[in-house]
Amino acid sequence: METKKPLRVIVSGGGTGGHIFPAISIANAIRQLEPDADILFVGALGRMEMQRVPDAGYKIVGLPVQGFVRGNLLKNIPVGWNLLRSMIKARSIVRDFRPDVAVGVGGYASGPTLQVAASMGVPTLLQEQNSYAGVTNKKLAKSARKICVAYDGMERFFPAEKIIKTGNPVRQNLLDSKITKDEAVRTFGLDPQRRTVLIIGGSLGARTVNESVLKHLDAIRQNQHVQFIWQTGKFYSEEIKAALAEAQPVANLHVTDFISSMDAAYAAADLVISRAGASSISELCLLSKPCILVPSPNVAEDHQTKNAQALATRGAAVMVPDAEARETLIPLAIQTVTNPAQLLSLGEHAGKMAYHRSAEIIAEEVIKLARGNR
């Protein structure tokens, strides 16, 4: 009797935590369904995935690919050369690994990897996290067999017959957490009797959000009913430490450059201030968290604004444009977190937009494609 050969899967993409966490969640879900599956990640050299993926227990190879520099032709000469090198390297990876299926989650590396895989007859699946499709995924959609999306109306970008609405996978430990709100608040050295606002700007931080806090230290200090957990990001931490050293102490402000226990941070929060990346939004909806979203203006096709609007129009979030945040964000956060009816309404509407089992549904589709290819 012939033994069943393990499935071989390539997962490609990365660049930010917003791409890496869903990619790892999909890989974990494939492993749950097919414990023997051989999974290889393909990332971009020098990017976050080259460390985060091995930490999660998976093999990764890197391509020398990088993003195009908008409006500067000369700077794009090495970018074009590295893209060509990446295509050649991707071809040898696909040839040597012989995958049954290739999955693209967005980010620099997914372009060359999935393009090459499809041209070599490997079935491909795309995971588009945003409400506005990126250039790479729009291009890859022509040869993709299935496209997993998180928002309605994606027929604008992709062939309708390929689309499956799955939502975005999130970090499983956030959903499995058993920590209580009081315990969570105490882990940050704060008072469980006060309302808590969590401020997150992504792993590297967000300049506008950080400047909004620094501008309103007096308002934070004077409001004794509200306290803040402020994740500054590593990129800005020294600058912020220096600014705080010159200011009067703010007892109701817990400052950290990085939060390792995001489950505790979310559990502690009555209100979350966040950028509007697709991954963050999916987490906030699954946890029914009231939030104020400040879309980053520095992303392709301004997709964070479109993500935030998708929630704001349904009463599932408050949106503050980046240009207005320095003046309005902190006063608005204090006003919102002290309004129980508004918090309840935001949380309920966010919860209605959540998708459960996203990673498992995507994994099932990946396995179907792989089996069909056998």
Side-chain angles (χ1 to χ4, degrees):
M1 184 179 149
E2 190 189 345
T3 54
K4 198 170 77 169
K5 286 198 310 192
L7 290 187
R8 302 175 72 78
V9 182
I10 278 180
V11 180
S12 185
T16 66
H19 288 125
I20 298 160
F21 296 134
I24 292 169
S25 294
I26 293 167
N28 290 343
I30 293 169
R31 276 268 165 90
Q32 288 245 290
L33 297 168
E34 293 278 339
D36 297 333
D38 193 356
I39 300 173
L40 177 68
F41 278 75
V42 181
L45 288 169
R47 304 292 292 193
M48 199 190 287
E49 58 266 26
M50 299 308 292
Q51 182 190 337
R52 292 285 171 87
V53 169
D55 287 352
Y58 293 99
K59 296 173 289 187
I60 186 166
V61 286
L63 303 179
V65 66
Q66 54 197 117
F68 281 93
V69 182
R70 288 159 197 271
N72 191 323
L73 198 60
L74 284 175
K75 282 192 178 170
N76 282 320
I77 293 170
V79 176
W81 169 240
N82 283 328
L83 179 60
L84 180 63
R85 288 172 60 215
S86 297
M87 296 291 284
I88 294 165
K89 187 167 182 187
R91 185 165 289 278
S92 78
I93 291 166
V94 173
R95 191 184 58 234
D96 295 344
F97 186 70
R98 303 189 318 282
D100 297 301
V101 63
V103 181
V105 295
Y108 302 139
S110 66
T113 309
L114 266 77
Q115 205 174 326
V116 163
S119 74
M120 294 171 76
V122 178
T124 61
L125 176 144
L126 299 180
Q127 201 248 329
E128 173 55 66
Q129 298 169 9
N130 295 296
S131 59
Y132 194 92
V135 175
T136 304
N137 272 356
K138 280 193 274 192
K139 193 173 165 190
L140 294 171
K142 295 181 183 71
S143 55
R145 302 276 183 91
K146 297 286 179 187
I147 303 165
C148 298
V149 303
Y151 292 91
D152 290 322
M154 298 304 284
E155 304 80 22
R156 291 176 296 159
F157 310 108
F158 304 130
E161 69 279 5
K162 295 182 180 183
I163 294 174
I164 306 168
K165 196 169 175 198
T166 59
N168 288 323
V170 303
R171 293 172 274 188
Q172 192 59 39
N173 67 317
L174 298 179
L175 305 178
D176 296 341
S177 180
K178 299 286 187 285
I179 191 167
T180 67
K181 186 175 192 302
D182 279 17
E183 287 167 352
V185 171
R186 287 198 174 94
T187 64
F188 293 96
L190 296 172
D191 179 0
Q193 302 304 312
R194 292 182 184 180
R195 296 273 176 178
T196 304
V197 179
L198 169 65
I199 304 168
I200 42 177
S203 46
L204 295 175
R207 179 176 289 282
T208 305
V209 174
N210 288 338
E211 287 175 356
S212 307
V213 180
L214 287 173
K215 185 161 185 168
H216 292 278
L217 290 176
D218 285 344
I220 292 170
R221 192 185 295 109
Q222 285 157 18
N223 197 305
Q224 290 308 302
H225 301 294
V226 180
Q227 57 199 357
F228 290 76
I229 299 166
W230 178 21
Q231 182 242 308
T232 63
K234 291 191 188 302
F235 191 77
Y236 301 105
S237 64
E238 292 307 316
E239 190 183 316
I240 287 164
K241 272 182 201 161
L244 290 173
E246 290 178 18
Q248 290 175 36
V250 190
N252 55 338
L253 179 65
H254 174 90
V255 186
T256 178
D257 63 344
F258 179 74
I259 298 173
S260 55
S261 306
M262 276 309 295
D263 58 330
Y266 280 135
D270 296 289
L271 176 71
V272 180
I273 293 172
S274 173
R275 284 302 202 189
S279 250
S280 301
I281 285 178
S282 296
E283 290 175 355
L284 292 164
C285 289
L286 273 164
L287 298 168
S288 298
K289 280 290 162 190
C291 62
I292 299 177
L293 299 173
V294 186
S296 170
N298 310 313
V299 293
E301 285 96 22
D302 195 25
H303 66 245
Q304 286 205 4
T305 297
K306 297 172 181 87
N307 291 349
Q309 283 168 339
L311 268 73
T313 55
R314 291 169 175 81
V318 176
M319 183 176 105
V320 174
D322 191 85
E324 297 171 20
R326 288 173 184 82
E327 299 303 323
T328 64
L329 180 60
I330 297 304
L332 179 64
I334 292 169
Q335 181 189 323
T336 306
V337 81
T338 50
N339 181 338
Q342 189 181 6
L343 289 181
L344 186 66
S345 173
L346 285 168
E348 281 180 355
H349 285 101
K352 284 176 188 164
M353 291 189 70
Y355 278 85
H356 301 270
R357 290 189 65 248
S358 293
E360 291 92 325
I361 295 165
I362 295 168
E364 285 162 7
E365 292 298 330
V366 172
I367 290 164
K368 259 190 255 174
L369 282 180
R371 291 255 172 265
N373 191 36
R374 289 275 171 97

